[in-house]
Amino acid sequence: MGYTDQRFNVNLSILFTELPLLERPAAAAAAGFTAVELWWPWIETPTPDQSELDALKKALEDAGTQLVGLNFYAGQLPGPDRGALSVPGEESDRFRANIDVAADFAASVGCKALNALYGNRVDGVDPAAQDELALENLVVAARAADRIGAILLIEALNKPESPRYPLVSAPAAIEVVDKVNAATGLGNAKFLLDIYHLSMNGEDVSQVIEAYAAKTGHVQIADNPGRGAPGTGSLPLEELLDQLKKAGYGGWVGLEYKAGDRPSAESFDWLPAEARAAR
C-alpha cells in the first residue's frame, strides 16, 4: 500500500508552470508521469480558437500523456475567481458557452472527468438566486459530460483561502452533487475530494473519506501547512490514500501542490520513479 499503490496524475496548472503550457506535458512525461490534469488553460476566454485546442491535444499526445481531468471555464483562476457558473450575467454566460467546448475537447483526448467550480458569492445578489442559477448550469454541464461518457466533479475549497466560495465543507459539496443527480437522473455528478482543502477547513479527512468515498469521483492532494509536496507538512497522506483505497476508491489522485522555490521536476522525490506512470 502507500504511495506506490496509487494512480497519480500531475496537475499542469500548478506544477511545471515555469514552462509554457504546451511544453508541460513533455516535462511531466520526462519526470515519469503518464497522466495529467488541467484547470481551464485559457483564463481569458471560454471559447479559444480551434487551433489552440488542437495544439494542446497534440502536445498531450506527443508526450504520451493522458488527460484525466479538466476544469470547465472558471474565470480568473489562478486569481480572484473561483468559478463562474453561479455568477449571474456575463460570467454565467461564459460558463454556458464553454460547456460544449470543454466537453468536446475532453472527448477528443479521452478525458473522463470535468470539474465545475461553483463560483464566489456576489455582493448584492441573493445567495438563493445564485444557487438556482448554479443548479441550472450544473444540470447542463452534467448532461454534456454524460454525452461524452464523463463524470461531473463538484469541489469543496477552503474558507481561509476562498472566503467567498460557498462550498467550503464536504457536506456542502455533497449536497450539490445530490441535487444535480436528482435533477438529471444521470448519477454522473461526483465529489472532488481535495485533502488539502478539507484539512484547511479543519474537517476530519478520515471521517469524510468514510462518509463519502462512494460518491467521490476524483481526489487531489497537497500537504498542509503550505500546500507543498507530500512530506513538507504534517498530513498523513499515505494513510489517508490507503483508507480511500480500502473504502473502494480506485480513481485518480491528482498532485495539486506547489513545488516551492525549486523546479517542479525536483519536487517528486517523495515518490519512487517506478510509481509515477499510470496503471
Side-chain angles (χ1 to χ4, degrees), residues 101-144:
V101 176
D104 289 346
F105 179 76
S108 78
V109 293
C111 173
K112 298 294 185 188
L114 289 158
N115 183 22
L117 283 170
Y118 203 79
N120 288 329
R121 291 300 193 209
V122 180
D123 286 339
V125 179
D126 179 1
Q130 281 196 257
D131 292 340
E132 195 178 322
L133 175 64
L135 184 59
E136 195 180 296
N137 281 335
L138 286 167
V139 163
V140 179
R143 288 183 179 137

Side-chain angles (χ1 to χ4, degrees), residues 61-211:
E61 289 171 351
D62 288 353
T65 50
Q66 174 64 50
L67 187 70
V68 299
L70 176 68
N71 283 17
F72 285 107
Y73 170 80
Q76 299 289 316
L77 182 79
D81 298 333
R82 296 290 184 272
L85 63 91
S86 70
V87 180
E90 192 182 334
E91 280 298 89
S92 167
D93 292 346
R94 286 160 77 92
F95 177 82
R96 286 292 272 267
N98 173 249
I99 290 174
D100 282 332
V101 176
D104 289 346
F105 179 76
S108 78
V109 293
C111 173
K112 298 294 185 188
L114 289 158
N115 183 22
L117 283 170
Y118 203 79
N120 288 329
R121 291 300 193 209
V122 180
D123 286 339
V125 179
D126 179 1
Q130 281 196 257
D131 292 340
E132 195 178 322
L133 175 64
L135 184 59
E136 195 180 296
N137 281 335
L138 286 167
V139 163
V140 179
R143 288 183 179 137
D146 181 67
R147 168 172 69 78
I148 65 158
I151 57 172
L152 175 75
L153 296 168
I154 309 291
E155 183 174 9
L157 301 183
N158 76 76
K159 197 168 182 68
E161 292 173 322
S162 304
R164 303 187 69 100
Y165 191 81
L167 309 183
V168 286
S169 73
I174 291 289
E175 187 183 345
V176 174
V177 167
D178 290 345
K179 280 182 179 168
V180 175
N181 285 332
T184 65
L186 296 170
N188 70 329
K190 302 279 184 184
F191 178 42
L192 196 168
L193 192 158
D194 184 309
I195 292 176
Y196 167 75
H197 287 313
L198 298 175
S199 157
M200 281 286 287
N201 283 325
E203 291 181 82
D204 183 328
V205 181
S206 191
Q207 273 188 339
V208 170
I209 289 168
E210 201 176 310

Side-chain angles (χ1 to χ4, degrees), residues 218-234:
H218 191 68
V219 172
Q220 290 172 335
I221 63 167
D223 216 331
N224 189 26
R227 200 174 186 173
T232 59
S234 56

Side-chain angles (χ1 to χ4, degrees), residues 40 42 44-50 52-53 73 94 97-98 101:
W40 183 248
W42 299 278
E44 302 301 334
T45 177
T47 52
D49 286 344
Q50 188 60 43
E52 292 192 62
L53 295 159
Y73 170 80
R94 286 160 77 92
N98 173 249
V101 176

